Amino acid sequence: MTADLREAPDLLGDLPVDPLAQAWEQILAAVLAEGPPENPFDLPRDLPGDPVAVLRVAGAPVPVGDLDGPAVAAALAGIDLTAAAVSDSDVVAAIAAASRLAAWTAGREVAATAELTARAAGWRGVGPLAAVVKPLLSAEDLAALEVAAALGVSAQAADDRVDRAGDLARLPGTRLALAGGRIDLAKVKAIVEAVAPLSDAAAAAVEARVLGRAPSQTLPNLKACLARAVIAADPAAAEARRLAKAAARGVSRWRDADNGSVLQWQASDEEIEAFWLWLTSCALAAQSPRAMDDRTLDQIRSDVLADMAARGLDLSLTDTGAPLPKRKGRRPQIGVVVAASTLLGLDEEPGELTGVGPVTAPLARRIAADGEWRRLLTDPRTGRLDEVSADSYAPPQDMVDHVVTRDGTCRGIGCRIAATRCDLDHELPWPAGPTAITNLHALHQRHHDAKTHTDTTVVTEPDGTTVWTLPSGRVYRVPPHRLLEHPDLDPEPLRAALRRLLEAERQARERREHPERDGGNLGGRDGPAEDDIPPF
């Protein structure tokens, strides 16, 4: 491959040749023919089936040849690393061999993903449909749907796996190096991303330039070589890559593992630097003398951003002063679902921050204290909301609120897209199926399209479990989103606390409406009538 590319100057121009990578396939073939140049571990060559011997070869400091995946897996499974006969060096070799085996396995996954995508192209619902200008679902979309369900990963992670398999079609050397366990998946990603803006010919030239040294390089060193090779292959493409990064600008957020969230902003270098200077200046201006303010500068930067968002939501205005658009009939607002027992301090059960997930009881109470309340009746033992129905196709606002709150996110397999960004789909199409919360569920566009236009079927069981059958015939069960569960809830303390709360609210209302009256026993009532008690 390398020699053929070097004989095409009209395609590659004056691309500098890396002497070490110029003929890496030929060098590798010679090494394989001669065997390892030395035997640093005193490897007994007549014991190929010995686990230690296998791992010494597979875990050599510089990978030589393609990995025999099944043999290495068997060796790793058969060796007792705690045995006294296994030296420290052998343990290191086992670590290196296991890492190469992971790369070999990733190569098999790439091959299987490419095959699945090819097969999905022939499934119903893929390609142009009647009265649809462009394909509603691509083979890649449907393959990603299958991958997400099979692996239990997000839609974005599945898309990345399918895209990677497609990208490696034009990088055969990289694909073979991964399949042979010579480079790992992180290095494969670096190569794929670096050559993304290039033509096939230039991408192949960059691959040939860097791949020979890639197995022995660290990832940062490989990325530095890639950056230089891409610029050398086509300086215009390097500028295109910068522009592509600017076009891919965006903001994302995710939740970390310990009750916190992360916000990430990707933009051009100059935009990030300008905002960073402004944000830092705001933080310095807000910083009090050290004796009065023990916050770090980073913490103050975070507080400045939080205050900006809080003011924007409170005023319901955009950065230009226009009203914020509504979603599902409601203006944007922080939503928390919290049991009345938790709100009153009778227990410390977690609440549910809408679109995020469970939060601690103190945080739920703090958010609820500053918000507008809407009561949603749930079964405290199951956490499921009560039945509501309507006579029209479009659900009324209360029903929309109900379904969005109940589902929280898309009911698709492993999908975490917020229900506020999803369609409310009739499971049994209307009018055959009613507009009722038992027949409505939140589905984002891809899952909605797959259910409507392919051989995917969706059925919701009485307990709220959603059963998906995908075109491959595989079946997946999505359990219901439990809002709040209090299986051991004793209703009597809650009733007493609610009576006290309602009485306090009634007296406060009376004082506001009739300030001339005494704020004591108003109206001759000692408390609210039993009929006034909500049916909690």
Side-chain angles (χ1 to χ4, degrees):
M1 178 187 70
T2 305
D4 291 341
L5 287 172
R6 293 294 187 266
E7 293 168 4
D10 55 323
L11 293 177
L12 301 180
D14 297 325
L15 177 66
V17 175
D18 185 334
L20 185 59
Q22 183 176 13
W24 66 272
E25 289 106 332
Q26 292 88 334
I27 294 172
L28 179 59
V31 171
L32 290 175
E34 298 173 2
E38 57 181 280
N39 190 17
F41 302 110
D42 291 325
L43 174 63
R45 303 193 188 273
D46 58 343
L47 294 175
D50 177 26
V52 174
V54 172
L55 296 180
R56 286 175 179 174
V57 172
V62 177
V64 177
D66 288 339
L67 191 76
D68 185 346
V72 174
L76 287 168
I79 190 173
D80 180 6
L81 294 174
T82 64
V86 178
S87 68
D88 294 347
S89 178
D90 292 335
V91 173
V92 175
I95 295 171
S99 178
R100 288 194 67 192
L101 181 62
W104 179 87
T105 304
R108 300 298 296 168
E109 181 189 325
V110 165
T113 303
E115 176 62 21
L116 175 65
T117 304
R119 294 188 182 195
W123 292 352
R124 189 180 73 83
V126 175
L129 302 176
V132 178
V133 176
K134 62 180 182 178
L136 188 59
L137 285 173
S138 67
E140 289 78 11
D141 288 337
L142 211 49
L145 196 65
E146 291 276 0
V147 169
L151 303 186
V153 299
S154 68
Q156 183 60 58
D159 284 340
D160 291 343
R161 290 170 185 260
V162 172
D163 290 345
R164 186 182 309 125
D167 291 336
L168 285 173
R170 70 170 186 159
L171 296 169
T174 303
R175 188 176 71 249
L176 290 174
L178 176 66
R182 297 194 298 275
I183 61 174
D184 60 22
L185 198 56
K187 293 180 179 179
V188 170
K189 292 179 182 177
I191 295 171
V192 168
E193 291 172 2
V195 303
L198 303 181
S199 67
D200 289 351
V206 170
E207 179 188 56
R209 180 184 175 94
V210 304
L211 202 52
R213 289 186 293 180
S216 60
Q217 285 183 310
T218 64
L219 184 60
N221 284 341
L222 173 60
K223 288 183 175 180
C225 288
L226 282 165
R228 287 190 292 269
V230 167
I231 295 173
D234 188 347
E239 176 64 9
R241 187 160 64 104
R242 185 189 69 80
L243 295 175
K245 273 288 188 182
R249 63 190 180 277
V251 179
S252 58
R253 58 104 187 230
W254 64 90
R255 204 174 191 204
D256 65 18
D258 193 23
N259 292 316
S261 293
V262 177
L263 185 71
Q264 176 177 285
W265 177 28
Q266 176 179 315
S268 66
D269 290 337
E270 66 275 15
E271 289 173 330
I272 293 290
E273 182 63 17
F275 184 79
W276 181 257
L277 290 173
W278 176 84
L279 181 62
T280 301
S281 299
C282 289
L284 290 170
Q287 194 172 36
S288 301
R290 185 168 295 276
M292 302 173 59
D293 193 342
D294 59 356
R295 296 176 298 171
T296 67
L297 194 60
D298 270 344
Q299 289 173 329
I300 300 176
R301 289 189 188 102
S302 176
D303 293 344
V304 169
L305 289 176
D307 291 343
M308 289 170 56
R311 284 195 297 270
L313 281 180
D314 185 52
L315 298 173
S316 194
L317 296 175
T318 68
D319 58 325
T320 62
L324 292 176
K326 294 183 178 181
R327 271 188 175 176
K328 293 293 184 286
R330 298 285 183 186
R331 68 178 180 86
Q333 56 188 324
I334 294 291
V336 63
V337 181
V338 57
S341 57
T342 305
L343 196 61
L344 294 169
L346 300 179
D347 59 49
E348 293 299 308
E349 291 293 326
E352 180 90 2
L353 186 60
T354 304
V356 177
V359 294
T360 61
L363 176 59
R365 283 193 284 264
R366 181 168 66 81
I367 296 172
D370 296 330
E372 300 176 0
W373 293 9
R374 292 200 306 274
R375 190 181 69 178
L376 298 172
L377 300 182
T378 68
D379 182 339
R381 297 185 182 276
T382 66
R384 295 190 65 207
L385 291 166
D386 292 341
E387 169 68 27
V388 179
S389 62
D391 296 327
S392 61
Y393 171 78
Q397 186 61 54
D398 285 348
M399 189 182 297
V400 171
D401 295 342
H402 196 103
V403 174
V404 167
T405 303
R406 178 199 66 193
D407 289 352
T409 61
C410 170
R411 295 292 296 151
I413 306 162
C415 188
R416 295 293 299 167
I417 293 179
T420 53
R421 297 170 51 195
C422 295
D423 301 332
L424 296 191
D425 172 60
H426 288 73
E427 182 177 312
L428 181 63
W430 191 85
T435 299
I437 65 168
T438 53
N439 193 46
L440 289 173
H441 51 195
L443 294 180
H444 94 280
Q445 194 64 52
R446 180 180 295 182
H447 284 106
H448 194 172
D449 290 343
K451 170 182 174 290
T452 303
H453 299 290
T454 73
D455 290 325
T456 299
T457 61
V458 180
V459 176
T460 299
E461 296 181 339
D463 69 346
T465 298
T466 305
V467 181
W468 287 75
T469 304
L470 297 184
S472 65
R474 299 190 67 164
V475 178
Y476 301 90
R477 301 171 63 84
V478 181
H481 175 57
R482 305 295 188 187
L483 287 174
L484 304 167
E485 296 185 59
H486 293 269
D488 302 320
L489 180 64
D490 182 355
E492 287 310 314
L494 177 58
R495 285 179 178 272
L498 285 173
R499 289 190 185 98
R500 293 193 296 271
L501 177 63
L502 290 172
E503 173 63 12
E505 289 181 347
R506 184 185 66 80
Q507 292 186 10
R509 185 171 60 254
E510 288 283 354
R511 282 193 293 270
R512 287 194 302 271
E513 295 175 355
H514 305 285
E516 71 281 1
R517 296 183 182 178
D518 178 32
N521 185 14
L522 299 176
R525 295 176 61 186
D526 294 329
E530 187 69 23
D531 290 343
D532 292 336
I533 305 281
F536 287 89

